[in-house]
Amino acid sequence: MPKVTFLPSGDVFEFEHGKLPYCDHGKPESILDVAMHFNFHLDHACGGNNACTTCHVVVKQGANHLSEMEDDEADRVETAADVQLSSRLGCQAVVKGDVVVEIPAWNRNYISEGGKSTL
Ligand code: FES
């Protein structure tokens, strides 16, 4: 089962392909979809429509276990603050195997509204 680890909190979520109820936020089985399913807070101001950068994550391990970055995601993620070579948009990167991602410091929400804090 694919596993997504979120840093710096170290929260780990496992899911079975095809068994994740689609949350309608981002692509099915995207990093954002997994986070929402497990009630883990990952910002997603545009609702997972590749129209903001609040779901920006930096991939620390398992980049080859994510879907290929498409041109529209590449164009958008370039505009993110503190963009890095391994930056992805959580709503666009579909999880195909184990990955470890870090939520950039500027993007951590210190006050969680209903979801689990990322700290
Ligand atoms: Fe807006 Fe991912 S939630 S681009």
Side-chain angles (χ1 to χ4, degrees):
M1 294 201 301
K3 208 168 38 176
V4 181
T5 303
F6 288 93
L7 300 177
S9 67
D11 285 276
V12 181
F13 304 111
E14 262 185 329
F15 70 98
E16 198 174 333
H17 280 304
K19 300 281 185 188
L20 206 63
Y22 181 37
C23 292
D24 201 25
H25 282 87
K27 292 184 174 176
E29 299 189 353
S30 64
I31 293 168
L32 177 63
D33 194 23
V34 173
M36 291 195 69
H37 175 68
F38 289 100
N39 201 28
F40 181 83
H41 186 83
L42 177 62
D43 272 348
H44 53 282
C46 74
N49 290 307
N50 195 38
C52 70
T53 57
T54 58
C55 63
H56 174 205
V57 296
V58 177
V59 180
K60 295 296 187 183
Q61 287 175 33
N64 57 331
H65 293 159
L66 293 171
S67 57
E68 292 278 319
M69 190 183 298
E70 294 179 14
D71 289 347
D72 54 350
E73 181 190 350
D75 290 346
R76 177 61 58 187
V77 80
E78 272 180 15
T79 68
D82 194 25
V83 68
Q84 299 181 31
L85 278 176
S86 58
S87 289
R88 294 293 305 260
L89 293 179
C91 67
Q92 301 298 303
V94 175
V95 179
K96 299 178 180 299
D98 293 359
V99 294
V100 178
V101 299
E102 181 174 44
I103 300 173
W106 62 268
N107 202 25
R108 287 175 208 146
N109 200 349
Y110 291 92
I111 301 170
S112 178
E113 296 175 22
K116 188 172 182 181
S117 169
T118 57
L119 296 176

